[in-house]
Amino acid sequence: MVRTPRPTAVTTDPLAALLEELDPARIAAVAPADEVEMARAARESLRSGALAVLRADSPRHLTVSCLLVAGPSHDPAIALGLHVKSGQWRQLGGHVDPGDASLRNAAVRELREESSIEVDAIATASSGAVGADSVRLSAGPLAVREFPVGTAQCEAHVDILFAARAPHRVALQTTDAGISRVDWFSPSALPQGTAADLRRDLPSLLRRLGALP
């Protein structure tokens, strides 16, 4: 019997925009060389099928997250969610869903599910149409990072981090069963249980965010 090869997520999934979002030239505008190379490798892995867009297609997944920051740059507040499985406080985000049209759209959905924040679709970091209470999402990724997970279903995540700005702290409420609590924190007073990589990388990420329009 001749078996028909299973197509990869890239050819069957409606996420054609993600390769453009992972353009190394775009990443290089905000990220260091190692993350640019990570984006380049991720693109090649997506083409070969070694990296999956959807979690059902492979144990190595592309994920999205969002660093949601409120208030002035000299005294920001960071929105973090307490993840049920790991017991860690992390930035908001998760796996890509089949209905997501792009990585940026996936970040918008994750923000809505994990914090009830609605991003203004017009008020991007590259748009001048910004209302006083608009939550703005960066037009492209702020960072590219890879994390080992180490389970049969989830070997590793290549996480594409976007940034969002709110003019001030707003009420946060999660509807995601994987998040038990979501709240605002000062970068200088992160809660016990904050993921070690986020605690380490946050100062650098905030500096990158400050350089965005």
Side-chain angles (χ1 to χ4, degrees):
M1 181 178 68
V2 177
R3 295 184 180 273
T4 303
R6 184 182 181 187
T8 66
V10 173
T11 58
T12 61
D13 200 85
L15 294 176
L18 65 88
L19 287 176
E20 181 180 349
E21 289 174 302
L22 285 175
D23 181 356
R26 295 183 68 183
I27 304 299
V30 294
D34 59 332
E35 293 182 31
V36 176
E37 182 55 37
M38 199 176 299
R40 184 177 290 111
R43 281 164 60 98
E44 294 305 315
S45 295
L46 285 166
R47 290 190 179 102
S48 70
L51 177 64
V53 178
L54 305 178
R55 76 177 96 189
D57 292 334
S58 168
R60 190 163 175 259
H61 310 143
L62 196 68
T63 60
V64 296
S65 62
C66 187
L67 186 68
L68 175 59
V69 180
S73 57
H74 68 273
D75 186 26
I78 312 298
L80 300 179
L82 182 58
H83 289 242
V84 173
K85 286 186 178 180
S86 67
Q88 292 181 327
W89 288 93
R90 281 194 170 276
Q91 73 272 19
L92 309 175
H95 287 86
V96 178
D97 282 357
D100 296 326
S102 68
L103 297 178
R104 192 172 184 276
N105 285 126
V108 169
R109 175 186 52 75
E110 289 288 345
L111 273 177
R112 182 188 308 116
E113 293 175 354
E114 296 192 1
S115 70
S116 299
I117 291 289
E118 289 288 349
V119 171
D120 187 329
I122 298 176
T124 67
S126 60
S127 169
V130 179
D133 293 320
S134 294
V135 176
R136 297 166 289 159
L137 184 67
S138 59
L142 185 71
V144 180
R145 305 189 299 165
E146 183 164 3
F147 308 100
V149 180
T151 69
Q153 296 77 25
C154 239
E155 177 184 302
H157 289 168
V158 176
D159 187 65
I160 312 305
L161 176 68
F162 290 81
R165 276 191 181 277
H168 49 76
R169 297 189 190 200
V170 296
L172 302 175
Q173 182 177 356
T174 183
T175 59
D176 190 314
I179 303 294
S180 62
R181 183 183 163 197
V182 61
D183 210 341
W184 295 103
F185 297 95
S186 167
S188 61
L190 297 175
Q192 184 176 3
T194 297
D197 60 89
L198 178 61
R199 191 181 291 275
R200 179 196 66 220
D201 295 342
L202 186 57
S204 171
L205 294 174
L206 289 174
R207 284 195 296 271
R208 295 186 202 181
L209 179 59
L212 291 177

